């Protein structure tokens, strides 16, 4: 009985031992299963992280690509703005250039009008007049009208007494513009002869107005004729009216003048000659007068010579019986109706004041020139001043236009500069965004490689 109990006990212990061993195996297997599960869990976690990394990298790439696209749009917009700004600069530059041309044209017009005003002011300030001394005209008329030789000497003295102040109260007024014009007195142009003849005729007519006698006129034919007289009757035949020493002068070449007058179908003619540009001085032995050299002349110096010639022949002509005076005054035996006038200088420097009578056939009175007058000059000056003000207003407008266009150009240039800076900034930003995109693409590739590797491990 006892043996059965022992046997049963032994079997029980063995069974417990077997159970324990089996439990150990189970425990070991469970441990192994737990370890395997842990590894699987770790691998799944790594896989999940790799998948998340790929997703994140792709999101970053997508964002970077969008940033690149947006920045490229900004670059395109900046380029468009720059193109527009450059076009605006080019257009406004052309506008400024056109405005500068208009401004210069307006400035030239102002300069021209100002020159005209200055010239007219100069002419008005230098208008030359001849005023007869009180009693002079009456004295000349009394002598010319007298038929009593017994009183001629007394009447001549009265003329001289009345004439004496004439040289003092009349003075030539210089003209700055004329003083700048050099001339060859031996070869005056037709325009110069015209200007000098009009100047002289104005002085002569001033005298005639004070005498109450008929005035003279200047015409194309009277100028042509007076030039022909000087050339044919004096220069070509070496006719020296005053001579080398003033004592050997030939005087007027009446025959030569008549020949020229016949060629021109002229009427009655008269001539005054002034020594004009030629002066004489005593030689070293004081035995005779000799000619002095004639200096370079200007329009102003020729007009001064004409003025002084007329003064001399009006107020210091007693030695010639006041014949030159009455010719200029157109009074008495020397008086004439309907005559024309011209003045010219011969090669000796003498001034010839030639008067030609008018007939219906000779055409000397045709197309008379308008003589200069103070009223006309004043009218011309007023018109010139009005034109100058208009030119100045136009210049002011063109200056304003130019200033406005320059401001527009300045603004356009500033806009262009800003557009260039904006484009440069956008291009730099685009380059940086492309670097970010390339890095994002690399990150995606790296994450995808990592995910593939993690999948293989699992």
């Amino acid at each position: 009985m006892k043996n059965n109990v022992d046997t049963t006990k032994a079997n029980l212990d063995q069974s417990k031992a077997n159970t324990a061993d089996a439990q150990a195996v189970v425990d070991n297997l469970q441990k192994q299963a737990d370890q395997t599960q842990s590894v699987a869990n770790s691998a799944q976690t790594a896989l999940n992280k790799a998948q998340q990394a790929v997703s994140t990298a792709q999101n970053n790439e997508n964002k970077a690509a969008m940033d690149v696209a947006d920045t490229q749009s900004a670059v395109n917009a900046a380029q468009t703005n720059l193109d527009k700004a450059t076009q605006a600069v080019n257009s406004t530059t052309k506008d400024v250039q056109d405005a500068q041309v208009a401004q210069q044209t307006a400035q030239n017009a102002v300069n021209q009008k100002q020159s005209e005003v200055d010239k007219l002011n100069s002419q008005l300030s230098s208008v030359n007049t001849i005023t007869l001394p009180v009693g002079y005209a009456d004295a000349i008329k009394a002598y010319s009208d007298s038929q009593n030789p017994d009183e001629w000497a007394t009447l001549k003295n009265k003329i001289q007494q009345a004439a004496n102040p004439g040289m003092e109260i009349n003075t030539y007024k210089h003209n700055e513009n004329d003083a700048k014009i050099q001339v060859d007195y031996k070869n005056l142009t037709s325009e110069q002869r015209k200007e000098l003849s009009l100047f002289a005729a104005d002085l002569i007519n001033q005298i005639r107005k004070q005498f109450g006698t008929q005035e003279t006129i200047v015409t194309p034919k009277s100028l042509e004729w007076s030039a022909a007289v000087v050339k044919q009757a004096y220069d070509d035949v070496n006719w020296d009216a005053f001579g080398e020493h003033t004592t050997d002068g030939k005087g007027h070449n009446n025959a030569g003048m008549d020949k020229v007058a016949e060629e021109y179908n002229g009427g009655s003619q008269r001539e005054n000659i002034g020594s004009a540009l030629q002066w004489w001085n005593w030689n070293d032995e004081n035995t005779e007068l000799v000619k002095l050299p004639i200096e370079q002349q200007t329009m102003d110096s020729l007009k001064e010579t004409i003025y002084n010639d007329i003064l001399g022949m009006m107020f210091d002509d007693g030695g010639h019986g006041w014949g030159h005076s009455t010719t200029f005054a157109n009074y008495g035996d020397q008086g004439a109706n309907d005559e024309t006038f011209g003045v010219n200088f011969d090669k000796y420097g003498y001034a010839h004041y030639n008067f030609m009578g008018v007939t219906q056939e000779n055409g000397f009175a045709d197309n008379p020139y308008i003589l200069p007058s103070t009223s006309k000059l004043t009218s011309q000056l007023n018109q010139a001043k009005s034109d100058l003000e208009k030119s100045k207003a136009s210049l002011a407008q063109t200056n304003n236009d130019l200033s406005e266009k320059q401001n527009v150009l300045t603004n356009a240039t500033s806009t262009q500069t800003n557009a260039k800076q904006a484009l440069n900034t956008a291009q730099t930003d685009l380059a940086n965004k492309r670097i970010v995109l390339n890095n994002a693409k690399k990150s995606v590739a790296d994450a995808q490689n990592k995910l593939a590797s993690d999948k293989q491990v699992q």
Side-chain angles (χ1 to χ4, degrees):
M1 188 67 172
K2 182 181 179 186
N3 288 335
N4 288 336
V5 171
D6 292 337
T7 299
T8 300
K9 184 180 180 183
N11 288 335
L12 181 58
D13 291 338
Q14 185 61 47
S15 178
K16 287 181 178 181
N18 290 338
T19 298
D21 290 340
Q23 186 63 49
V25 169
V26 170
D27 290 342
N28 186 49
L29 290 174
Q30 184 63 50
K31 182 178 180 181
Q32 291 179 355
D34 291 341
Q35 289 176 344
T36 299
Q37 185 62 48
S38 177
V39 170
N41 290 340
S42 296
Q44 186 62 49
T45 299
L47 181 60
N48 291 339
K49 288 182 178 180
Q51 287 176 333
Q52 183 63 41
V54 169
S55 178
T56 299
Q58 286 177 334
N59 289 336
N60 290 339
E61 180 185 0
N62 291 338
K63 183 179 183 303
M66 291 177 63
D67 289 344
V68 167
D70 290 343
T71 307
Q72 182 64 60
S73 296
V75 168
N76 294 341
Q79 184 64 60
T80 299
N81 291 337
L82 176 59
D83 292 342
K84 290 180 179 179
T86 300
Q87 184 178 4
V89 167
N90 293 338
S91 176
T92 52
T93 297
K94 177 65 166 55
D95 290 342
V96 167
Q97 291 172 344
D98 291 342
Q100 287 173 333
V101 171
Q103 189 270 348
Q104 187 58 57
T105 299
Q107 183 64 62
N108 292 341
V110 168
N111 293 343
Q112 179 184 356
K113 297 301 180 183
Q114 186 64 61
S115 177
E116 292 176 6
V117 169
D118 292 344
K119 181 178 181 180
L120 289 168
N121 273 325
S122 176
Q123 289 176 337
L124 278 171
S125 66
S126 57
V127 169
N128 281 282
T129 58
I130 293 179
T131 301
L132 301 182
V134 175
Y136 173 80
D138 290 337
I140 288 285
K141 290 178 180 180
Y143 171 67
S144 299
D145 294 343
S146 175
Q147 301 297 317
N148 184 1
D150 294 336
E151 62 180 5
W152 288 351
T154 300
L155 293 175
K156 283 183 179 180
N157 288 333
K158 288 184 178 180
I159 294 175
Q160 190 60 66
Q161 291 174 1
N164 286 335
M167 301 298 289
E168 301 296 329
I169 63 175
N170 295 288
T171 305
Y172 177 75
K173 298 176 183 177
H174 292 275
N175 185 298
E176 293 181 1
N177 290 314
D178 285 344
K180 298 174 183 177
I181 304 173
Q182 292 192 342
V183 296
D184 178 2
Y185 71 90
K186 296 180 182 179
N187 297 284
L188 295 173
T189 66
S190 58
E191 283 301 313
Q192 289 169 344
R193 287 188 291 104
K194 173 184 172 183
E195 182 175 345
L196 293 173
S197 295
L198 291 173
F199 174 79
D202 178 50
L203 296 175
I204 293 168
N205 284 343
Q206 290 178 35
I207 294 169
R208 293 186 176 188
K209 285 179 181 178
Q210 294 172 78
F211 266 87
T213 54
Q214 188 178 43
E215 299 176 15
T216 189
I217 60 173
V218 178
T219 68
K221 192 166 185 179
S222 73
L223 293 178
E224 181 183 349
W225 167 72
S226 66
V229 168
V230 167
K231 182 178 185 304
Q232 297 178 36
Y234 293 93
D235 286 350
D236 290 351
V237 295
N238 300 316
W239 192 282
D240 187 341
F242 290 93
E244 286 294 322
H245 310 290
T246 71
T247 58
D248 52 351
K250 297 180 179 180
H252 297 277
N253 186 356
N254 293 318
M257 292 172 59
D258 289 341
K259 182 179 179 181
V260 177
E262 184 178 351
E263 293 177 4
Y264 280 81
N265 194 25
S268 61
Q269 60 177 324
R270 298 181 295 165
E271 180 185 60
N272 280 346
I273 304 178
S275 58
L277 304 175
Q278 185 60 68
W279 292 81
W280 289 260
N281 199 5
W282 289 103
N283 62 9
D284 293 339
E285 294 78 19
N286 287 326
T287 56
E288 61 181 357
L289 292 170
V290 293
K291 289 183 176 180
L292 297 176
I294 298 176
E295 299 178 349
Q296 173 66 52
Q297 300 298 312
T298 66
M299 285 300 287
D300 182 66
S301 66
L302 292 188
K303 288 180 180 179
E304 182 180 21
T305 294
I306 290 171
Y307 185 88
N308 290 332
D309 262 358
I310 294 175
L311 285 189
M313 285 187 270
M314 287 302 299
F315 306 125
D316 191 21
D317 197 45
H320 298 279
W322 303 100
H324 297 98
S325 305
T326 52
T327 295
F328 279 141
N330 196 27
Y331 190 82
D333 292 340
Q334 299 297 328
N337 294 323
D338 301 326
E339 65 177 6
T340 61
F341 172 77
V343 66
N344 197 15
F345 289 80
D346 64 24
K347 65 182 180 181
Y348 301 103
Y350 310 145
H352 294 255
Y353 305 88
N354 296 103
F355 298 89
M356 172 58 73
V358 173
T359 66
Q360 292 182 347
E361 297 81 15
N362 64 20
F364 269 82
D366 294 346
N367 304 311
Y369 297 112
I370 298 176
L371 296 182
S373 67
T374 301
S375 59
K376 181 180 179 181
L377 287 175
T378 301
S379 176
Q380 290 176 340
L381 176 61
N382 291 336
Q383 182 61 52
K385 285 181 177 179
S386 176
D387 293 342
L388 176 60
E389 290 307 311
K390 292 178 182 178
S391 296
K392 286 182 176 179
S394 177
L395 175 60
Q397 182 60 53
T398 57
N399 284 336
N400 289 336
D401 291 344
L402 176 59
S403 178
E404 290 177 0
K405 287 179 171 57
Q406 286 174 332
N407 289 336
V408 173
L409 177 58
T410 298
N411 293 334
T413 302
S414 176
T415 300
Q416 182 189 42
T417 300
N418 293 336
K420 287 180 180 178
Q421 293 175 347
L423 177 60
N424 290 337
T425 300
Q427 288 174 334
T428 300
D429 191 27
L430 177 60
N432 292 334
K433 291 294 187 347
R434 283 175 174 167
I435 292 174
V436 172
L437 176 59
N438 291 334
N439 290 338
K441 288 180 178 181
K442 184 176 182 305
S443 295
V444 169
D446 291 344
Q448 288 174 337
N449 290 334
K450 179 70 168 56
L451 177 59
S453 176
D454 288 347
K455 285 182 177 180
Q456 289 177 356
V457 171
Q458 192 178 28

